[in-house]
Amino acid sequence: MGSTGSSGNSGSTGHRGNRGSTPAGRPGGGRDRDSEGRARNARPRDGLGRPLPYDAPGVPRQPEGVVRTPEETVAEAQRLLDEGKPFHAHEVFEDAWKSGPDTERELWRGLAQLAVGLTHTARGNLMGGVRLLRRGAGAAEAWASASGEATPHGIDIASVAAWARELAEEVEREGRPVNAGARAPRLRGVDAGR
């Protein structure tokens, strides 16, 4: 009958009508902001990056904007992956893509997508996780093909891409979340040991 997108709200404020209210448990009221005034969610997070109540203990978050050498990036990301914290590993890869040379941007972004794919499959967002695992594998392989580097900074791109595709197939087949730490990739290849 000619409805123009109304979702049952009779007012114009919709879900934003309570802008001035403070969610339960939020310290100080208002929006969470970082030291530079940007909106940031200050809620603690669990090992998979899921927000927890303000008063709950959480896993320490990765600081943003850390400039690391590629060796430090790979080592820190592998440590976090092994600990079952792929969301936090993604933040390490994100720092590398933002601070590293433009020629490596797509490498680090592809690896970040793989870490987020593992995060989603562990959280139970199986379809989203599968898509990101495949997208990240393709991005990392495309970067390796274009650059001619199969093992940049010791990262075994073929092995990591194979891991991502195998995990995606397993998740599709079995239809259940995975244990992120138990299914962590070996960035430097299967023989790199744990």
Side-chain angles (χ1 to χ4, degrees):
M1 292 253 273
S3 172
T4 59
S6 172
S7 60
N9 293 341
S10 58
S12 63
T13 59
H15 71 280
R16 296 175 190 243
N18 294 328
R19 268 193 170 152
S21 67
T22 302
R26 177 178 288 185
R31 289 186 76 178
D32 295 330
R33 302 234 175 237
D34 66 12
S35 62
E36 296 177 12
R38 292 180 302 232
R40 296 279 189 228
N41 188 329
R43 288 170 55 185
R45 293 183 179 263
D46 70 5
L48 293 174
R50 293 176 288 215
L52 299 169
Y54 280 96
D55 57 351
V59 172
R61 296 174 86 167
Q62 288 297 118
E64 290 186 44
V66 176
V67 177
R68 299 174 184 88
T69 66
E71 176 65 34
E72 292 167 334
T73 295
V74 174
E76 180 67 2
Q78 187 68 68
R79 180 185 70 77
L80 292 164
L81 289 164
D82 291 346
E83 290 177 3
K85 300 174 186 170
F87 177 82
H88 302 277
H90 128 268
E91 292 177 329
V92 170
F93 288 133
E94 189 173 284
D95 283 341
W97 113 45
K98 290 179 178 179
S99 68
D102 287 345
T103 57
E104 293 185 354
R105 182 178 175 94
E106 294 307 310
L107 166 67
W108 300 118
R109 185 160 54 177
L111 293 170
Q113 288 173 334
L114 292 172
V116 174
L118 179 56
T119 300
H120 282 290
T121 61
R123 287 179 176 177
N125 175 6
L126 305 183
M127 290 180 59
V130 164
R131 275 194 301 269
L132 282 164
L133 287 166
R134 289 186 174 133
R135 184 181 306 152
E141 287 175 322
W143 181 88
S145 177
S147 70
E149 294 185 52
T151 56
H153 311 296
I155 303 165
D156 185 340
I157 298 294
S159 174
V160 172
W163 161 85
R165 288 194 176 92
E166 288 168 14
L167 183 58
E169 288 172 16
E170 175 188 319
V171 168
E172 282 181 325
R173 183 176 59 251
E174 296 184 12
R176 65 175 177 244
V178 300
N179 178 312
R183 296 311 310 269
R186 304 307 309 152
L187 297 174
R188 294 210 158 116
V190 294
D191 297 327
R194 284 196 178 231

